[in-house]
Amino acid sequence: PEKDHKLQVESFAKFVEKSGRRDVRLTLVGGVRNQADRDRVTSLLELTRSLGVEELVEFKVSIPYPELYQILSDSLVGLHTMWNEHFGIGVVEFMAAGIVPIAHNSGGPKLDIVVPGAGFLASTVEQYSDHMTRVLEMGEEELENMRRRGRDHVKGTFSDETFRKVFMEKCVGVLDMDLQWIVEEEEKEEEEEEEADCN
């Protein structure tokens, strides 16, 4: 319940109502662990019926990774509606896949993940709906720039390479040891990889 899928369905329905578009689809992906989770899915299905978007909403439950990967590859917008999530790995995954995130305006997504020009923050049905409209009305160049900024941001902030570099820099200070050569080696390797990528 903390992920607030209800807000996702209501926001999507509002977007459909306001835009009149019926060529869009909301795909809800997640695991079902127990009867409470199954009941939640049933409740969300009933909500889609009551809002008139049943045929536009798909439920993908406990799917294998290759299917999840395909959904991420085919998606344009990623909705995150959990209030005050401490981090928000799903939002990072959206951005790494080139999906424009519309994340809850709280917690980790607000503080650390969604930066200006790389996605949107929202907290109400209207805000989510308006941001969906905004993304779908973007020109190709503007959309690609936003997607690129998101990918670049998560790669530069949350990648293994960045973690190693920052971790080593912190260790040097904490342990009062001269490990600068390790950091320099990491930087040299990164430069070589970037040069290889350019060629």
Side-chain angles (χ1 to χ4, degrees):
E2 67 278 355
K3 293 189 185 290
D4 202 355
H5 295 103
K6 181 176 181 273
L7 178 56
Q8 293 180 19
V9 172
E10 291 170 342
S11 299
F12 178 72
K14 177 61 74 175
F15 161 74
V16 168
E17 175 191 322
K18 287 168 60 174
S19 69
R21 294 186 64 158
R22 305 296 286 185
D23 61 340
V24 291
R25 181 163 308 283
L26 174 65
T27 304
L28 295 168
V29 180
V32 170
R33 304 160 294 189
N34 52 39
Q35 188 58 47
D37 287 350
R38 284 187 284 282
D39 292 345
R40 198 167 296 112
V41 171
T42 300
S43 174
L44 289 167
L45 257 169
E46 291 168 1
L47 179 62
T48 65
R49 286 187 199 109
S50 72
L51 295 173
V53 292
E54 178 183 11
E55 72 281 2
L56 302 177
V57 179
E58 272 185 299
F59 291 85
K60 298 290 188 172
V61 177
S62 301
I63 60 175
Y65 182 76
E67 188 176 351
L68 172 62
Y69 181 83
Q70 189 60 53
I71 291 168
L72 290 172
S73 298
D74 295 339
S75 296
L76 178 62
V77 173
L79 299 179
H80 168 275
T81 49
M82 184 173 175
W83 174 78
N84 215 23
E85 185 169 12
H86 67 281
F87 181 62
I89 190 65
V91 181
V92 173
E93 290 170 345
F94 290 156
M95 294 167 77
I99 296 170
V100 176
I102 304 173
H104 199 279
N105 191 15
S106 65
K110 177 182 181 177
L111 298 173
D112 302 316
I113 302 171
V114 180
V115 296
F120 298 96
L121 295 169
S123 54
T124 66
V125 167
E126 287 293 331
Q127 290 170 342
Y128 278 97
S129 171
D130 290 347
H131 289 315
M132 283 183 243
T133 299
R134 173 80 178 95
V135 173
L136 291 173
E137 289 178 351
M138 282 182 183
E140 193 172 317
E141 184 177 345
E142 182 183 11
L143 180 59
E144 189 48 44
N145 285 337
M146 181 168 279
R147 295 169 88 167
R148 180 186 43 75
R149 279 191 294 271
R151 281 190 299 264
D152 291 350
H153 172 62
V154 297
K155 182 179 180 187
T157 307
F158 304 111
S159 67
D160 291 340
E161 296 82 27
T162 300
F163 176 80
R164 272 196 301 273
K165 180 179 177 184
V166 171
F167 181 78
M168 292 307 298
E169 288 170 354
K170 299 297 181 193
C171 284
V172 168
V174 170
L175 300 175
D176 195 30
M177 297 172 59
D178 185 13
L179 299 177
Q180 186 59 34
W181 65 273
I182 296 175
V183 173
E184 290 169 359
E185 283 296 313
E186 290 282 333
E187 290 173 351
K188 184 179 174 184
E189 287 177 21
E190 287 177 19
E191 288 172 8
E192 290 171 359
E193 288 176 13
E194 287 177 11
E195 287 176 15
D197 289 344
C198 291
N199 296 330

